[in-house]
Each structure stands twice: as structure tokens, then as C-alpha cells.
Amino acid sequence: MEATGLTRLDTLRALRWANWDAALFTVYVGFTGGAFQTGFARQLGASDLWLGIMTALPALVGSLQVFAAYLAERAPSRRSFVLKWTLGMRAPWLLIALIPLMAISLPRLELFIGLITLSAVLGAVAGPAFLAWLSDLIPADYRGRYFGKRNMILGLVAAFTALPPALFLDQAVKHDRFSPQIAFAVLFGVGAVFMFLSYFALSRMPEAPRGPMAGGGWSEFARFYREPFQDRNFKRMLRFIGFWTAGHTFAGQFFTVYQLEELKLPYIWIQGLGVITAVFSALGMPFWGYLSDKYGNKPLLAIAGGVVVFLPLLWILTTPEKPGMSLGILIGIQIMAGLFWAGVNLSQFNMILGMAPDGQRTVYMGAVAAVGSLVGGIAPALCGAMMEGLQGLLPTEERYHVLFVTLTAIRLFGLFWLRPLVEPRSSAAGYVLGQLTSSVRPRGWRAARRLSRGTDEETRVEAAKTLAEARTPLAVEELVRALQDPSPDVRRHAAIALGEIGDVRAVAPLIEAVNDPASDIAIEAIEALGGIGDASAVDLMLGLLEHESMAIRVAAARAVQTMASPEAIPKLLMRLRSASEPDEQRAILRAVTELAARRPESVPADRTLALTLIAALSADSGEVRADAAEALGRLAVAEADAPLREKLAIEPHDRALAAMASALASRRDENDAGLILSSLARADSDIARRRIALAVAVIWGIDQRLYPMLTADEMSLGRLVERAVEPYVRNSAEARQGLEAFAEGRYSDAARSFVAIVPDHPLAPYLDSIKGDWEVALLAVAALR
């Protein structure tokens, strides 16, 4: 499994095993963590202070990660290092599963907390090395999407595994059907099984390529730890992590205790609320992952963090006297927690990964984990001491209110430390928030007021631009009045905004603007009328096809295209026969195509339409020939088959070549496959080659298989190819050779191997006569039956 380099397929397989490891580990957590650990500790007689200690100790030992980072970098194999220590981390759970069955005279609580702490110690040593190992496997520009998808999977796994153990435990705790000690032993035992299954998945992951190992001298040791702490931005990150972690972990297990002892919720309800959180977290993860890759992580952390800061205050509204209302509030809290904590966790993790240089990712991750663990250990211990100290001073309900307010204050203070952090190429939080809320913000109302009350040209232009973006029909009257503005810029942007809004109330004023030569906005008004698409302006547009200005003729043709009036086709064809400029010819061709497609039953009988479009295949402009071919293919003009074959054989223009191939393929005549394949060699454009390949796939009826491959990113493409060839791998050496050749970029060899997999492969007769490349290899894969 050791490797110095990984192909794309190797990486995909490694990440698949990483997801299995994480999913199985999540099942273990679902059977052993959270409310179950707290409930078992209470069964063993743990006080509030002991609960704080139980949360604090495993977290505190996480600070060992910063020291373990050096050991991990010195290890010859990061993979072997992780496997050794994570196996040790799992071993204590074999004993933990037996504690519920031990005699009550034994120090079971102390042993329970001690073994949990020991497991945490061993896991802490492996933590930074594992994160560095995993992050080295993932391309930097794919991390947001990968971790978003991964966390979505884990959220769904957590949701599906949360309720069964709670139902099982309630049979013992709430219904006395068997001993709670037996129930806890079973839960912890099942959790341990899944923990070792996750270890098997982890062991299947290969070593990732890595830089040189850390040196062995004292100077190298000092340099290894000195460099991260000389990074000013990273030091700011550590400060933020410290305060933010305090706000996240301060309450420790007391949310669970509050639900169990104050609200009297059974385990099934507590786990059910956890399911809600997990489900909404899973739903939100792909969204946050996409935004992370698009806008950066810092703005998302600010937006999502600004919501979760105030969630603890909502707990104050819950009370055991109103169980229905309290449950509704808790459900609302869990929905928001799932959605926004997903954004916090993902963006924070990705931001840390982005800060860590490749050569020192282990120590960076170790330092972050150490600070988080140190604070995450001290904070719940302090909370336990605070809750213990308040017992004699305040009623129980008020003690928890103090806890919730304190937690909110800590989180708010922690969020303050996000501001100094620098993340290159990230957008401002305000901009991102504006993008997310533009549909509900009242900016359209404010812009309409600025347009009607603005006293300077610049303000009115900016207001018109804003209204074009907001597309609010409330501003139609203000924009219509602005068509008479003394400023040409205001008139121009008002017409553009009216076209974007698309309200028919603007048709008559826009027609008036077109007919008024002094308006100087004829083209913008024509385009706006086209955007509105009202048929009452068709006659005006057809008259403008003879205008002395070519720009106006082109704009009129484009406007007619959006108006539902097929009766305009004869006049458009008449103008096409006399038009000499390519831009005008193209605009008319596209208008004719769009209008004719709206009444396909009349196309076969329209001889003039067919002959005019076929004649356009001989135009001087390649772009015009391409548009003519597009029209013939879309309208399925039967008379065009022979002309298309003739032109395809000699066409030099890439786009026209691809358009003719697509048009000819729409007839689905298998005799045309060779001619279309031969045109691949003449296409220089990647887009043209992909389209020609797709045309062949249409003839063979495999376009639904080929299209996803042609549009996939690099990571997804490898997965699609592997999935298509997988049924043949076991019994076909050619299948294995083809996958290897494809992964190495030897596409001609890959195509030949894939064609050889099945008898009568449709590509076989042409393989020696066409230029083999990436598209041909994908065609060979898609055609596998």
C-alpha cells in the first residue's frame, strides 16, 4: 500500500475508503458517545463536577497532538504511524464494554473515565498525521466539495444510527424490561465492533505522496516548531480557535443533562433531536462546500458563526411545565444548529488546511488541535465547577439560564477574533450575505426611491442598475418615467431594467422610445421589448428589419426571436436572402429557428424554409454555416441530409463542423457514424471534438452514457470510467489494461483496450482510420454494453 505517486483512480479509491472509515467510526460514536456516556456516568454516580472532568480529560490530552506532530513527520511512513496509534486508541473499548458488568464495589466510574482518557491519548498522537495524510490525498481546489459531500454522508449515517440504540436503552432505563447495565454493555460492545471495522477501512488507504521527513537534530526540532508560530496569520487563527472552542465546549455535557433531568426527555427524544441536527447538517454540507470553493471560508465562518452564537439563548425559552412548546423550540434549535454548525465546522476546517503549508501540515494541524483540546478540556471543567458552585445559590432552572447566557457571551467574544484573520482570495462576508439574501432584501424599494427622488445623474443611473438586478415590478412606473430623463445614460439603463423585469406595462412606452429618434436608446428599447416578449411589438420589429442601421436590424431580429409569433417567419426568410452581413444573417437564422421550433408540425411542409436554410450552409461565414446547421438539426429538415454530408466532408470551421455533425446525427443513421468520426481529425477545438463525439454517441444510442463523462471534472471522470468498466475487470485483462492506460493519459491505448473488451463493439470498424484521443477513449467506454 505504500506509494510515492498516485494516479487519479488510486486517489478516488483512497478517498472512498476514507469515507468508509469515517462512516463506520460515526456509527461507533452513535452507539457510545454523547447522551450515552453521560447517562452511563450518571448511572455510576457522577456528580456535575465529575461530568465536567469526564468531558475535560479526553479533551485536555488532545493537546499532545502538537508534540505528536514531530513524531509523525519523523516516521518513515505516515500511514503506518497512523495505523499503529489508532489501533491502540481502539483497544481500551474492549474493556469499557465490560465495565457495566463489573461489581459495584469496584471503582467503575474512575475506570470508565480513565479508559476513555487513555483512548483519547492514543488517538491524539495519530490525529495530526491522519489529517495531513487525508488532506494530501485531496486536490486543493476540490476540498470544499469533497468535505462537504463527506460530511453530508456522515450526517446521514449519524441520523440513521441515532435512534436504534436510544430505543434499545429506553427499554431498560424507562421500561425496566432488562438491566441498564446490560444495555450499556451491549451498546459499548456494538460500538467497539464498528470501531474495529472502521480500522479495517482505514488500513485500505494508501500512503499519500509527501515531502521530505523532518530532520533528527535539535536545531531541526526547534525549527519544526518555530516556523508555524512565526506566522502572524496562523497565530491569529490559534487565538480565534481558542476563544471559539471555549464557546463551543464550555457547556460540555450539560445540554444532555438538562434534557434528561430538567425537561425529563427520554433517550429516544434526545437522540431524535440529534437526528434532526444530523439531517439538516447533511442537507447543508454540499451547499456550504460549494460556497466554500466559490467565495472562500472566512465569510462563511462569519455568517454561520453569527447565527450559532445566539442559539443557547433559545434554550431559556424551554420549560418542563410546557413540554409541547419546549419540544417545538428544541426542534427549531436543532434545525438551525444542523444548518449553521455545518457551515462553521466545514469552513473552519478548510481555512486551517489552507493556511498550512504542504511541508508542515502536520505541525500546523497539531498546533490547532492542541489549542482546541487544551481549551476544550479546561472550559467544560470550569463549567462543571461553576454549576456545582451555583447549586446552593440558585434554583436549578436559573442555574441553567446562567449557563446559557454565559455560553452566548463566550461565543460572541470568540467570534470577535475572526475579523483579523486573512484568507487570500476570499470574498467579504457582506458581499456573500448579499448574494444569499438578494431575493428578500428590500434594495429594490430603496432603489426605486432613489430613482424617483435622486437629484444627480450618477444616483439615478446606479438606482436603475440596481433595479435591473433586483427585477422588482414595483419600480415599473419610476423606470417608465426615467425613459424621458434628460440623461442618455439614465434612459439607457431604465430601458435595460424594464427588459429585465419583463412587465407588459412597459411595452407601449418602450415602443414610443423606439419610434422617437431623439431618445437615442432605440437598440436598448428593442432589446427590452424582446425581453418582455409581448406579441404586440412584432409588427414594429418586422418593420425594423429594413432599417438603414444594421445594429437596429440585428436587434430587431433578436427581439422577434423571443416573441411567440411564427407568422413572422416569411418576412425573416425574405430578409435573410438579401442580408449580406454575418451578424445580421446569424440573428435572423436564430430567430427563424426559434419561431419554427414552436410549430414543428408546419416545418416539413415549408419548402421555402428548408431551401433557405440549406442555402445558408454555403455562406462565406463559418459562424453563419454553423447556425444554419444548428437550425437544420433542430428542425429535422429531411432534405438537408445529403447537403450536410457533402459539407461535413470539407468543412474547415470548427463550430460549423460540430454543428453539421450534430445535425446529421439527429437522423440516427448508422451509416453516418464513420463520416462524423473522420471529422474529429479536422477539429482543433476541444469543445468541437466533444460535440462531434457526442454526435456519434447519439447515432449509437449511448449519448446518455457519454454526456456525463464529457462534462465531469477530473475527479468525477475517473469514477465514471471505473464504474463503467468495473463489470468486466474480473474476467478481462483488456479492461484492466484500459483503466491503467486511461489513468496514465494514454488514451489511444485505452481506446483499443476498451474496444477489445466486448465483441461487435461499434467503434471497432473505425478505430484504425480515426485519430485516437480522449474523446475516442470515452466513446469506447460509453459503448460498452
Side-chain angles (χ1 to χ4, degrees):
M1 298 291 287
E2 308 302 326
T4 57
L6 298 174
T7 68
R8 180 171 59 241
L9 293 177
D10 291 332
T11 301
L12 286 169
R13 294 188 187 106
L15 296 180
R16 194 176 300 144
W17 281 114
N19 287 341
W20 272 109
D21 161 50
L24 292 166
F25 197 86
T26 299
V27 178
Y28 142 75
V29 173
F31 274 79
T32 63
F36 302 136
Q37 282 189 22
T38 303
F40 182 57
R42 283 297 208 202
Q43 286 275 334
L44 298 180
S47 64
D48 285 351
L49 182 59
W50 268 111
L51 285 179
I53 293 172
M54 185 181 75
T55 305
L57 281 178
L60 280 171
V61 299
S63 59
L64 295 173
Q65 294 185 60
V66 70
F67 304 108
Y70 186 73
L71 296 176
E73 285 302 308
R74 289 274 297 151
S77 167
R78 188 184 284 158
R79 174 180 174 273
S80 298
F81 181 88
V82 172
L83 290 176
K84 176 176 66 178
W85 288 98
T86 53
L87 181 61
M89 177 193 75
R90 287 160 168 80
W93 279 92
L94 298 175
L95 295 176
I96 291 173
L98 299 176
I99 291 178
L101 306 179
M102 293 179 180
I104 60 174
S105 59
L106 295 174
R108 296 188 299 168
L109 178 61
E110 293 81 357
L111 183 60
F112 179 56
I113 294 175
L115 288 173
I116 289 175
T117 304
L118 175 61
S119 177
V121 169
L122 299 174
V125 177
F130 171 73
L131 290 177
W133 176 22
L134 179 61
S135 62
D136 285 345
L137 287 169
I138 308 168
D141 60 353
Y142 190 67
R143 283 179 189 147
R145 282 169 288 173
Y146 170 72
F147 282 112
K149 182 177 179 180
R150 171 188 170 94
N151 292 345
M152 179 190 72
I153 293 171
L154 301 189
L156 293 174
V157 171
F160 281 112
T161 57
L163 295 182
L167 286 168
F168 175 75
L169 188 57
D170 276 337
Q171 300 304 306
V173 176
K174 295 293 183 182
H175 305 294
D176 297 322
R177 291 196 169 95
F178 48 87
S179 168
Q181 307 306 316
I182 296 293
F184 281 113
V186 170
L187 289 185
F188 295 159
V190 172
V193 169
F194 278 97
M195 203 180 195
F196 281 96
L197 288 174
S198 80
Y199 179 81
F200 172 77
L202 183 68
S203 70
R204 305 297 297 170
M205 291 171 57
E207 181 73 88
R210 58 183 294 193
M213 292 184 297
W218 171 254
S219 61
E220 287 296 324
F221 178 83
R223 184 188 62 80
F224 183 77
Y225 281 106
R226 183 175 61 247
E227 287 190 8
F229 297 100
Q230 290 177 336
D231 184 336
R232 293 182 62 187
N233 197 40
F234 183 64
K235 287 192 289 187
R236 296 189 192 109
M237 187 70 188
L238 291 179
R239 189 183 302 124
F240 167 73
I241 290 293
F243 286 112
W244 187 249
T245 302
H248 181 37
T249 61
F250 180 76
Q253 305 281 27
F254 285 99
F255 280 114
T256 300
V257 176
Y258 178 74
Q259 293 175 87
L260 284 171
E261 299 181 357
E262 297 304 313
L263 298 182
K264 307 298 183 184
L265 294 181
Y267 282 103
I268 185 61
W269 276 109
I270 296 174
Q271 290 298 96
L273 292 170
V275 168
I276 293 173
T277 304
V279 168
F280 279 90
S281 178
L283 293 174
M285 276 297 177
F287 171 74
W288 293 111
Y290 168 77
L291 293 179
S292 171
D293 288 336
K294 185 176 179 67
Y295 295 117
N297 299 290
K298 181 181 175 181
L300 306 185
L301 193 51
I303 293 168
V307 174
V308 301
V309 158
F310 298 102
L311 290 182
L313 294 180
L314 298 178
W315 285 78
I316 297 175
L317 303 176
T318 62
T319 173
E321 285 77 23
K322 297 181 178 180
M325 182 192 74
S326 298
L327 188 59
I329 292 171
L330 290 178
I331 290 172
I333 292 173
Q334 301 311 311
I335 290 173
M336 288 189 289
L339 288 173
F340 290 99
W341 272 115
V344 168
N345 295 333
L346 181 68
S347 55
Q348 178 178 287
F349 181 72
N350 284 341
M351 196 170 178
I352 295 168
L353 283 184
M355 285 186 180
D358 290 342
Q360 286 203 304
R361 188 162 285 140
T362 307
V363 69
Y364 272 72
M365 300 302 293
V368 169
V371 169
S373 298
L374 189 64
V375 174
I378 294 173
L382 292 176
C383 181
M386 182 189 81
M387 295 296 284
E388 192 86 13
L390 290 175
Q391 274 191 348
L393 301 176
L394 295 172
T396 301
E397 185 177 11
E398 293 183 14
R399 279 196 307 142
Y400 281 102
H401 290 177
V402 170
L403 171 63
F404 300 145
V405 171
T406 303
L407 185 59
T408 298
I410 296 173
R411 288 184 182 181
L412 190 59
F413 184 70
L415 192 62
F416 171 79
W417 293 98
L418 176 64
R419 187 172 184 178
L421 287 175
V422 176
E423 184 186 30
R425 296 181 298 277
S426 68
S427 304
Y431 171 77
V432 177
L433 191 61
Q435 293 291 303
L436 298 177
T437 61
S438 60
S439 60
V440 296
R441 287 177 57 189
R443 61 176 185 154
W445 293 7
R446 293 197 300 268
R449 293 187 65 184
R450 289 200 307 273
L451 181 62
S452 61
R453 300 181 182 182
T455 56
D456 63 274
E457 180 180 358
E458 184 179 356
T459 298
R460 288 171 64 78
V461 168
E462 290 302 316
K465 289 180 179 179
T466 301
L467 290 169
E469 296 171 3
R471 298 183 179 182
T472 173
L474 297 174
V476 168
E477 288 78 7
E478 289 84 354
L479 289 166
V480 165
R481 286 195 293 270
L483 292 175
Q484 304 295 323
D485 194 278
S487 165
D489 282 343
V490 174
R491 295 197 300 273
R492 185 170 298 111
H493 287 289
I496 293 171
L498 288 168
E500 290 293 327
I501 293 170
D503 195 300
V504 294
R505 288 177 291 172
V507 170
L510 286 168
I511 290 175
E512 183 179 344
V514 172
N515 290 326
D516 184 354
S519 71
D520 195 29
I521 59 167
I523 292 177
E524 290 81 7
I526 291 169
E527 291 174 348
L529 287 166
I532 296 171
D534 189 76
S536 63
V538 170
D539 288 341
L540 172 65
M541 297 300 112
L542 293 176
L544 292 174
L545 291 176
E546 304 297 332
H547 198 278
E548 61 182 357
S549 167
M550 191 195 73
I552 288 181
R553 296 199 301 271
V554 170
R558 290 173 177 166
V560 172
Q561 178 179 338
T562 63
M563 297 175 180
S565 182
E567 294 75 14
I569 291 176
K571 287 192 176 181
L572 287 168
L573 293 175
M574 187 182 302
R575 180 61 204 172
L576 178 60
R577 289 192 289 272
S578 60
S580 59
E581 293 294 330
D583 285 347
E584 185 179 0
Q585 292 172 331
R586 294 187 65 199
I588 295 173
L589 274 170
R590 293 188 175 192
V592 167
T593 304
E594 185 65 33
L595 295 175
R598 293 177 184 172
R599 54 171 197 181
E601 71 284 350
S602 65
V603 172
D606 196 335
R607 184 80 176 159
T608 302
L609 172 63
L611 293 176
T612 304
L613 294 179
I614 291 171
L617 289 176
S618 301
D620 294 335
S621 166
E623 293 293 341
V624 174
R625 296 196 299 273
D627 284 341
E630 300 279 11
L632 291 168
R634 184 176 176 186
L635 300 178
V637 178
E639 299 96 319
D641 291 0
L644 283 170
R645 293 188 187 101
E646 177 185 347
K647 297 296 182 181
L648 180 63
I650 60 173
E651 178 58 53
H653 188 275
D654 272 8
R655 180 172 168 257
L657 193 68
M660 290 176 185
S662 295
L664 197 56
S666 66
R667 310 298 294 174
R668 300 182 183 272
D669 187 339
E670 292 196 7
N671 295 320
D672 292 326
L675 175 63
I676 295 174
L677 279 168
S678 67
S679 68
L680 270 173
R682 305 202 309 277
D684 296 321
S685 164
D686 288 341
I687 294 175
R689 293 176 60 80
R690 294 180 187 188
R691 194 171 178 197
I692 292 169
L694 189 62
V696 177
V698 169
I699 292 176
W700 291 340
I702 58 170
D703 48 304
Q704 296 300 317
R705 293 166 60 88
L706 179 65
Y707 184 80
M709 299 182 192
L710 293 174
T711 58
D713 58 38
E714 188 175 359
M715 299 295 291
S716 302
L717 176 60
R719 188 181 304 113
L720 290 171
V721 171
E722 183 185 29
R723 188 181 302 160
V725 180
E726 186 177 11
Y728 308 95
V729 168
R730 179 172 297 182
N731 300 317
S732 171
E734 289 85 357
R736 296 189 292 273
Q737 292 167 3
L739 281 176
E740 181 178 352
F742 190 86
E744 295 173 358
R746 295 184 286 110
Y747 299 121
S748 295
D749 294 341
R752 293 186 181 279
S753 296
F754 292 145
V755 166
I757 292 175
V758 296
D760 300 326
H761 193 292
L763 190 58
Y766 311 107
L767 202 55
D768 292 331
S769 60
I770 61 174
K771 179 182 176 183
D773 212 336
W774 180 74
E775 297 85 0
V776 178
L778 293 184
L779 261 175
V781 172
L784 292 173
R785 297 294 185 182

